[in-house]
């Protein structure tokens, strides 16, 4: 078993990874649940993990980043070290940097509790300017929150946008990330 503390959800906790040994998994699971009974602990699933990571503004490969995105438009430029020698993709990223971004990943908060969903269109003045990559209802903010790529000219903090939720236009605003403070530190 591997015990790690990646902090991917933004929560102060641990992840347990098991080899494919069902009896050992069951034994550890039952022991953890028993030890935590007095604290009223309980299991959570991927839905909770997804809500927590979205509240932190953490990206998920396949949703927010993939082979069609680059680290600059995803806001991951802090991990690209142009002055640390050569690397695969350096020339392409330098070209993107010099030409300027066309789109940018932003966080946004809806005015109500409706959760935006992956693939919903992001609009400005009725025109499509991007799409939602991750979205959920934030129990802490009691509002819908999401991440999405928008045309860079609409990526400024405070920008008022709308989310097309199956034909219903929901008012939203571009905000800074994380949506909620990091509780893991």
């Amino acid at each position: 078993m591997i015990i790690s503390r990646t902090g991917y959800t933004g929560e102060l906790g641990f992840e347990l990874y098991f080899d494919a040994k069902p009896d050992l998994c069951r034994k550890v699971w039952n022991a953890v649940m028993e030890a935590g009974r007095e604290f009223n602990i309980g299991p959570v699933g991927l839905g909770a993990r997804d809500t927590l990571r979205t509240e932190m503004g953490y990206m998920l490969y396949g949703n927010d980043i993939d082979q069609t995105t680059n680290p600059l438009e995803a806001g991951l430029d802090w991990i690209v070290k142009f002055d640390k020698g050569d690397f695969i993709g350096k020339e392409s990223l330098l070209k993107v940097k010099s030409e300027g971004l066309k789109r940018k990943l932003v966080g946004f908060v809806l005015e109500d509790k409706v959760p935006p969903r992956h693939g919903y269109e992001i609009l400005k003045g009725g025109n499509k300017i991007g799409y939602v990559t991750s979205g959920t209802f934030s129990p802490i903010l009691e509002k819908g929150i999401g991440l999405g790529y928008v045309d860079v000219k609409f990526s400024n903090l405070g920008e008022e946008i709308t989310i097309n939720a199956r034909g219903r236009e929901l008012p939203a605003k571009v905000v800074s990330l994380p949506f909620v403070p990091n509780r893991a530190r």
Side-chain angles (χ1 to χ4, degrees), residues 89-115:
K90 181 176 182 176
E91 288 181 34
S92 296
L93 289 175
L94 285 170
K95 182 178 178 189
V96 167
K97 189 174 181 178
S98 70
E99 292 176 357
L101 297 176
K102 292 180 177 35
R103 66 180 187 162
K104 189 174 176 186
L105 187 70
V106 298
F108 59 87
V109 175
L110 280 72
E111 291 181 8
D112 61 30
K113 296 182 177 190
V114 177

Side-chain angles (χ1 to χ4, degrees), residues 5 11 36 67 102 122 130 157:
R5 191 173 204 166
E11 289 292 330
Q67 291 181 345
K102 292 180 177 35
I122 301 175
L157 295 180

Side-chain angles (χ1 to χ4, degrees), residues 12-82:
L12 189 57
F14 298 88
E15 300 85 34
L16 307 178
Y17 302 89
F18 292 90
D19 196 358
K21 296 178 182 168
D23 291 338
L24 174 62
C25 297
R26 194 174 300 106
K27 185 176 181 178
V28 171
W29 174 268
N30 291 336
V32 169
M33 291 295 113
E34 181 59 35
R37 183 184 311 270
E38 68 179 286
F39 304 106
N40 200 29
I41 70 166
V44 297
L46 289 176
R49 187 266 346 239
D50 208 42
T51 296
L52 291 167
R53 70 116 186 135
T54 303
E55 286 179 333
M56 291 305 303
Y58 293 164
M59 289 165 253
L60 180 64
Y61 189 84
N63 279 36
D64 310 299
I65 52 176
D66 60 23
Q67 291 181 345
T68 69
T69 58
N70 70 62
L72 305 180
E73 63 191 8
L76 297 172
D77 47 317
W78 59 274
I79 61 173
V80 179
K81 307 297 183 206
F82 289 109

Side-chain angles (χ1 to χ4, degrees), residues 116-163:
R117 296 295 179 210
H118 179 86
Y120 282 5
E121 292 180 337
I122 301 175
L123 309 170
K124 180 72 176 186
N127 298 312
K128 182 180 176 184
I129 60 165
Y131 60 94
V132 175
T133 56
S134 287
T136 191
F137 170 76
S138 168
I140 292 174
L141 299 177
E142 296 184 355
K143 295 181 178 187
I145 62 171
L147 300 171
Y149 283 95
V150 297
D151 184 307
V152 73
K153 65 184 169 201
F154 301 108
S155 65
N156 296 316
L157 295 180
E159 183 78 40
E160 294 183 3
I161 57 176
T162 56
I163 308 301

Side-chain angles (χ1 to χ4, degrees), residues 166-181:
R166 291 178 276 170
R168 184 173 165 212
E169 291 190 14
L170 306 171
K173 188 178 287 189
V174 174
V175 298
S176 61
L177 298 173
F179 294 100
V180 297

